[in-house]
Amino acid sequence: MVATAATSAFYPVPSSSPDSGAKNTKVRGGSGNLGGIKSKSVSSGCLQVKTNAQAPTQVNGSSVKPVGGVRAGDDLPSSHPRTFINQLPDWSMLLAAITTIFLAAEKQWMMLDWKPRRPDMLMNPFDFGRIVQDGLVFTQNFSIRSYEIGADRTASIETLMNHLQETALNHVKTAGLLGDGFGSTPEMCKKNLIWVVTKMQIMVDRYPTWGDTVQVDTWVSASGKNGMRRDWLVYDCKTGDTLTRASSVWVMMNKETRKLSKIPEEVRSEIEPHFTDSSPVINDDRRLSKLDGDTADYVQRGLTPKWSDLDVNQHVNNVKYIGWILESAPPPILESHELSSITLEYRRECARDSVLQSLTAVTGTDVGTLATAGDVACNHLLRFENGAEIVRGRTEWRPKIGTNVRFLNTISADHGI
C-alpha cells in the first residue's frame, strides 16, 4: 500500500473521461465532503480527490473575487493533467501518513525478540510469581538491587528475609486467599485473626551479589494442630545453585486482644487444600540458650521501634528484629565473617513506645581472637528494659571469602581510607 501511494505521487493517475464536469458521487453511502474535500468516482476504480476551493465572499464586510478568475466550486481546467500531486489539497498529509506507517513498522521490528540472550538474561527479573507443581508451590524471581547490598557487595540478610516475606504474601494473593489483612484469609479477617511467626530458621550457602537474579520457591504445610509451617528455597537463576534454605512456623493471633488463637474450622477449610506433605528444609531442634546481663559479652541499649518499623497489622515486622539483634554483634565478626545461619524464636511483641536491649554472647571462641578465628557461633537475646524476653536467637558465622576481603582492601587503598 505504501509503495502504491508513493508511486502514484510521481505518475499520472488514469482518468475514465477527460470531462472535468463529472458529477459528484457519494462514498459508501455518505457524502464525500470532508472539510472542503470532495471525492469523484472514476470508472477505472481509482479514487480521484479534487480541490473545491471555497473562497470567502466577504472579508470584513467587503466582497472578494476569486483569485485567478476561478470561481468557488469550479473544477480545475481540463487541460491540466490529472496527477496525484495536483489533486491533493495538502502534500504534507501524504508525508505524515507515510511517516506514521514507517514509525509503526520500526516499533514492531524493535519489539521482535531476535537478539540473542546472554545467560543472565534467560530469567525475567520482573517476574511477579506464579503457582507451579499442582498448585502447591509458588515461585518468584528477584533482581538484587544496588541498595540491597552491603560493603562486601553481597545482599544483606535483611534483603533475603524481605524476599522470603514477599513471596509468602504473593503466594497467598495468587492462590486467591488474601483478605484485608497482612496475609490473612477472608475467614481470618471475619474473625479478626492474623498470622504471627514463632520460629524462623535460615541457612545461607552463598549470598547473591548486585545484578544477580534469584528464584524463590515457597510452600506451606501443617505444623501441629494449630500451626502452619512455611518453607523456602532460593536459587541462583544463572547457575541453578541453591543459595538459601529457610523454614518457619506460624500461629494465629487475635488482632484486638493480641492473644494466640486456635485455627477455626472455617479457616482450616480455606488453607488445608494448599498444604503439602513434606519435611522441613531445615530441622534444627537445638534449644536456644537464655542470656542475661551477666552472661552477655556485648550489650546494646536504648533501641526503640519507629513508625516505619510497623506493618499493616500494627506490630513490628519480623525482619526488623534481625537488625536489632545484629546491633550487638561483635564488630570483629561483622568485619571478617559473614552470617551462615540464624535461628530466631519470637516470644513477645513490642509496641511502638517500647525500649529494648540487644545482648550477644560468643560461644566456643575467645572474644579477643574473633578476627582470625574460623567458624564462630553466638547466642542472642532481644528484651525489654524490665528483662521480659522478646526474641531469642542463635547465629553462626564463617570467614568471608578472600576475594571480598581483597576487594575491600583495594577500595580502601584507592581512596586513602
Side-chain angles (χ1 to χ4, degrees):
M1 181 182 294
V2 178
T4 304
T7 305
S8 301
F10 299 97
Y11 295 94
V13 178
S15 175
S16 62
S17 173
D19 185 9
S20 61
K23 296 180 180 181
N24 293 341
T25 186
K26 294 182 179 180
V27 180
R28 296 186 180 179
S31 175
N33 189 354
L34 300 174
I37 303 176
K38 292 186 177 181
S39 60
K40 298 283 186 173
S41 63
V42 184
S43 60
S44 61
C46 299
L47 180 66
Q48 291 182 331
V49 183
K50 301 178 63 178
T51 58
N52 185 13
Q54 300 290 340
T57 57
Q58 290 187 350
V59 177
N60 296 331
S62 302
S63 61
V64 180
K65 294 182 178 181
V67 180
V70 181
R71 292 176 302 173
D74 287 349
D75 292 337
L76 293 174
S78 60
S79 59
H80 292 180
R82 295 181 180 275
T83 66
F84 194 76
I85 297 178
N86 62 21
Q87 293 179 35
L88 281 175
D90 189 354
W91 175 248
S92 62
M93 295 175 60
L94 178 60
L95 293 179
I98 295 175
T99 302
T100 302
I101 293 174
F102 276 103
L103 288 176
E106 180 183 14
K107 181 178 180 180
Q108 293 295 327
W109 173 254
M110 295 300 295
M111 292 176 63
L112 292 177
D113 192 13
W114 61 271
K115 296 182 179 180
R117 290 181 178 271
R118 302 191 308 269
D120 59 340
M121 297 172 62
L122 293 178
M123 300 299 293
N124 179 14
F126 304 104
D127 184 8
F128 293 105
R130 60 196 181 278
I131 295 179
V132 296
Q133 298 186 20
D134 299 328
L136 299 177
V137 177
F138 181 81
T139 181
Q140 183 173 357
N141 295 343
F142 294 91
S143 181
I144 305 302
R145 313 296 184 180
S146 59
Y147 51 82
E148 295 176 325
I149 63 174
D152 53 0
R153 297 194 298 178
T154 60
S156 64
I157 186 64
E158 288 90 346
T159 294
L160 299 182
M161 283 285 294
N162 284 326
H163 290 170
L164 302 184
Q165 181 171 274
E166 181 71 7
T167 53
L169 292 174
N170 288 339
H171 185 192
V172 177
K173 180 179 180 180
T174 306
L177 295 177
L178 187 64
D180 295 332
F182 200 50
S184 299
T185 66
E187 287 296 331
M188 291 176 62
C189 293
K190 292 179 182 179
K191 301 180 183 303
N192 232 1
L193 298 174
I194 60 176
W195 288 110
V196 292
V197 60
T198 60
K199 187 174 183 178
M200 175 73 71
Q201 294 177 288
I202 305 174
M203 297 184 66
V204 183
D205 297 328
R206 177 170 63 84
Y207 287 88
T209 62
W210 176 35
D212 287 348
T213 302
V214 298
Q215 174 184 323
V216 183
D217 293 351
T218 184
W219 58 94
V220 291
S221 307
S223 178
K225 294 183 179 180
N226 292 294
M228 179 186 71
R229 192 186 76 245
R230 178 174 287 277
D231 295 307
W232 295 269
L233 286 176
V234 182
Y235 304 95
D236 187 324
C237 289
K238 184 176 181 180
T239 64
D241 297 337
T242 301
L243 302 180
T244 304
R245 292 165 287 165
S247 185
S248 61
V249 177
W250 300 72
V251 294
M252 290 188 181
M253 172 187 285
N254 187 287
K255 188 176 180 180
E256 297 298 329
T257 64
R258 315 309 285 186
K259 293 182 179 180
L260 298 183
S261 169
K262 294 182 178 181
I263 300 179
E265 289 302 321
E266 296 84 354
V267 177
R268 191 181 300 276
S269 63
E270 283 183 318
I271 61 178
E272 278 192 345
H274 303 274
F275 284 176
T276 63
D277 185 12
S278 61
S279 302
V281 296
I282 301 177
N283 192 10
D284 188 354
D285 294 332
R286 289 179 295 173
R287 293 179 58 88
L288 300 184
S289 302
K290 182 179 180 179
L291 292 182
D292 54 35
D294 297 329
T295 58
D297 298 313
Y298 299 86
V299 179
Q300 181 72 33
R301 296 180 174 86
L303 302 175
T304 58
K306 300 177 181 178
W307 176 256
S308 59
D309 297 328
L310 305 180
D311 59 26
V312 296
N313 289 327
Q314 299 299 311
H315 65 206
V316 175
N317 190 286
N318 62 82
V319 178
K320 182 61 182 178
Y321 291 112
I322 296 180
W324 285 333
I325 284 177
L326 297 182
E327 284 287 335
S328 61
I333 292 184
L334 299 177
E335 295 171 0
S336 59
H337 290 66
E338 66 180 7
L339 187 65
S340 59
S341 70
I342 183 170
T343 300
L344 301 174
E345 291 183 356
Y346 298 85
R347 297 175 176 268
R348 284 183 178 84
E349 290 186 291
C350 63
R352 181 181 161 193
D353 56 351
S354 303
V355 181
L356 292 70
Q357 296 178 354
S358 178
L359 293 75
T360 296
V362 181
T363 62
T365 304
D366 184 13
V367 175
T369 61
L370 291 177
T372 58
D375 294 345
V376 178
C378 298
N379 292 321
H380 305 272
L381 175 64
L382 194 66
R383 68 181 186 182
F384 293 115
E385 287 188 320
N386 61 7
E389 295 185 352
I390 302 173
V391 180
R392 284 189 186 184
R394 181 180 61 250
T395 58
E396 295 178 353
W397 306 75
R398 58 175 173 250
K400 289 182 180 179
I401 301 175
T403 54
N404 289 340
V405 176
R406 288 195 296 270
F407 170 77
L408 292 175
N409 294 336
T410 301
I411 294 296
S412 298
D414 292 342
H415 293 79
I417 300 177

